[in-house]
Amino acid sequence: MRVLVIGSGGREHALVWKLKQSPLVDDVYAAPGNGGTAREGAININIPADDIAGLVTFARREEIGLVVPGPELALTLGITDAMKEAGIPCFGPDAYCARLEGSKAFAKDVMRRAGVPTAACAVFDDLDAARAHVRAVGAPLVVKADGLAAGKGVVVARTSEEALAALDEIMGRKAFGKAGSRVVIEECLIGEEASFLCLCDGLRAVPLPSAQDHKAVYDGDKGPNTGGMGAYSPAPVLPDEDAERMADLVSRPILRQLAEDGHPFVGVLYAGLMMTADGPKVLEYNTRFGDPECQPLLMRLDGDLVEIMQAALAGDLSAVPVRQKPESALGVVICARGYPQSYPKGMPIEGLDEAEADGAKVFHSGTVVENGVCKANGGRVLCVTALGKTLKEAQDKAYAAVAKIRIPDSFHRSDIGEKGIRRLQQQQNAR
Ligand code: AMP
Ligand code: GLY
């Protein structure tokens, strides 16, 4: 079978790597892919992830048997609906379900109807009304652009002035374009965050082990938010034995609600959770694998991802085992200096093979191969991922591999996994 992976990041490299291990697969194509997908043996094709018509034409012509979209934009633009119309199986939700991620107001409405715990909120289409609400309730508050804003449309405001400034930025100056013509203003929740992903077949949700992202750019969760500077699994704040209960709380009610709306959800439902003193609450849903969570999660997944995706598309995930390796996995993202603001490109990358010599895996987030040389080509360049018997061992192995990689003008966080290791120590001390 031929498989088409859509996207160009570390998540898509990990998907290519895992899908290629399936005996069912002959060729993997990546649109547009990156240096890592090419090194993995995928055929990169020059079609952007948001060119839905171009992707369908390609998939038809090449008789693609399975399409796997990585990024949210393709999903909200209706890639799954378009592929379905062409008779091509596509592992991802339809455009209706993808609005769970594409519109925060829609997500809030589905959560309310499904009875899922989340922050109290109000939705505004009018700047003056939104300003009046901020003045009435006071800070702290969270202001969110309704639409897709590449993870940048959320402001956690400590003061009313900050919240008002965020409203001016999002609704007044339209910093995120149409994504900000509506805003969601939320109660500010306090706690530790965790990513909880389920594989879904329309009816069933099969939990993957928990993961934790590191959104802030600098050590100690300082600095502006990024796409994610590293991730590990499992996250001790959400242990494996709680996964089924969590799926009952935040995933299965959503599947039931969407099915009732006439749109069964097939694909990955990712709940971004805040573990508060009042229990877990959903901050947001994504309708795809997270990046970089996907990299450690797929290193732990023990089984044939093609079989799993096909079973989900056939509406029966209970037909295949979804097993996990018992090890922990941890990924460290190496970035170009300046990210998440402007950054240089084109730096040569050395040490990739040495880094993988002891079993670590280097997933490429933003690279390109030019004349046989692998070069940096994005803000996030690599995600160096390793398995270990413990979280600490996974951390040690990942950082040992990072130390072997040389990229001019690059940096990484040096504390990926620390929060989890600290929590494990506290749990041990409490025993
Ligand atoms: P979102 O895109 O909705 O997940 O928001 C991005 C980030 O903003 C989250 O990962 C949290 O760190 C923070 N955040 C979002 N909503 C809230 C909230 N209600 N309370 C506190 N922090 C939040
Ligand atoms: N790592 C967060 C995301 O993929 O949205």
Side-chain angles (χ1 to χ4, degrees):
M1 186 205 323
R2 293 171 163 182
V3 177
L4 170 62
V5 173
I6 298 172
S8 62
R11 163 183 54 209
E12 287 76 21
H13 181 184
L15 285 165
V16 165
W17 169 79
K18 188 69 188 171
L19 292 163
K20 269 191 88 73
Q21 292 168 21
S22 167
L24 299 168
V25 169
D26 299 310
D27 295 309
V28 178
Y29 296 85
N34 63 29
T37 58
R39 280 169 61 97
E40 208 62 59
I43 302 157
N44 285 353
I45 51 164
N46 194 13
I47 307 175
D50 59 355
D51 178 3
I52 305 300
L55 290 165
V56 172
T57 303
F58 175 85
R60 251 209 201 109
R61 193 178 66 225
E62 297 298 327
E63 298 178 356
I64 298 293
L66 174 65
V67 176
V68 183
E72 57 276 18
L73 186 57
L75 293 165
T76 55
L77 290 175
I79 186 77
T80 301
D81 310 75
M83 290 289 176
K84 192 170 179 188
E85 214 163 278
I88 301 165
C90 180
F91 180 77
D94 67 12
Y96 180 89
C97 293
R99 284 181 71 205
L100 263 188
E101 175 164 5
S103 163
K104 298 207 183 268
F106 177 82
K108 282 289 190 183
D109 183 57
V110 177
M111 281 189 256
R112 183 186 54 76
R113 290 190 287 139
V116 167
T118 184
C121 81
V123 179
F124 297 94
D125 296 303
D126 176 70
L127 178 56
D128 289 333
R131 291 175 138 264
H133 176 78
V134 166
R135 290 205 187 89
V137 297
L141 276 177
V142 184
V143 178
K144 302 184 174 186
D146 177 56
L148 290 181
K152 296 183 188 117
V154 175
V155 176
V156 180
R158 309 263 157 237
T159 63
S160 301
E161 288 70 34
E162 272 175 51
L164 292 170
L167 285 176
D168 282 341
E169 181 78 7
I170 295 171
M171 293 190 103
R173 282 192 289 283
K174 303 244 178 300
F176 307 103
K178 257 180 36 199
S181 36
R182 170 175 288 177
V183 292
V184 174
I185 302 181
E186 261 182 29
E187 156 199 20
C188 188
L189 300 174
I190 296 167
E192 191 172 332
E193 287 181 52
S195 305
F196 179 66
L197 285 68
C198 287
L199 300 163
C200 304
D201 68 6
L203 197 66
R204 292 173 200 79
V206 177
L208 294 175
S210 63
Q212 193 169 61
D213 189 7
H214 298 65
K215 289 205 169 85
V217 68
Y218 302 127
D219 283 7
D221 292 333
K222 302 271 179 357
N225 271 357
T226 67
M229 297 295 291
Y232 61 91
S233 168
V237 69
L238 175 48
D240 286 354
E241 57 268 27
D242 293 347
E244 282 297 325
R245 224 175 323 140
M246 191 59 75
D248 281 340
L249 188 68
V250 303
S251 315
R252 292 174 183 133
I254 297 291
L255 294 196
R256 277 196 292 275
Q257 190 58 56
L258 291 170
E260 217 169 274
D261 291 358
H263 292 272
F265 186 108
V266 176
V268 174
L269 181 61
Y270 165 149
L273 301 175
M274 187 74 94
M275 311 300 279
T276 76
D278 293 336
K281 299 201 176 173
V282 175
L283 296 176
E284 64 162 348
Y285 287 104
N286 296 322
T287 59
R288 49 166 177 88
F289 278 108
D291 188 339
E293 292 97 323
C294 183
Q295 292 85 313
L297 285 175
L298 288 189
M299 275 192 86
R300 293 191 64 200
L301 183 66
D302 199 6
D304 186 327
L305 187 56
V306 176
E307 263 182 15
I308 291 171
M309 288 180 171
Q310 285 183 325
L313 283 160
D316 190 6
L317 263 174
S318 67
V320 290
V322 181
R323 281 188 297 262
Q324 309 298 331
K325 297 200 173 91
E327 288 101 323
S328 294
L330 182 139
V332 179
V333 173
I334 304 180
C335 296
R337 185 148 318 278
Y339 176 77
Q341 281 91 35
S342 62
Y343 51 82
K345 286 185 182 179
M347 300 83 82
I349 302 171
E350 288 178 60
L352 288 171
D353 292 334
E354 295 100 294
E356 290 189 336
D358 292 324
K361 178 72 195 168
V362 181
F363 294 112
H364 294 220
S365 303
T367 69
V368 62
V369 179
E370 274 172 9
N371 304 322
V373 181
C374 193
K375 297 179 177 173
N377 191 43
R380 292 192 287 179
V381 180
L382 302 173
C383 179
V384 182
T385 312
L387 289 170
K389 282 200 276 301
T390 60
L391 185 54
K392 180 80 182 90
E393 189 181 298
Q395 187 194 45
D396 287 342
K397 286 186 167 173
Y399 276 107
V402 167
K404 295 187 182 138
I405 292 173
R406 292 172 303 280
I407 313 175
D409 286 326
S410 68
F411 74 102
H412 59 267
R413 272 181 68 158
S414 63
D415 65 346
I416 302 302
E418 281 306 321
K419 220 180 276 168
I421 291 167
R422 260 202 316 272
R423 186 174 284 273
L424 286 173
Q425 274 161 356
Q426 281 164 4
Q427 285 168 358
Q428 236 162 25
N429 293 344
R431 264 187 225 126

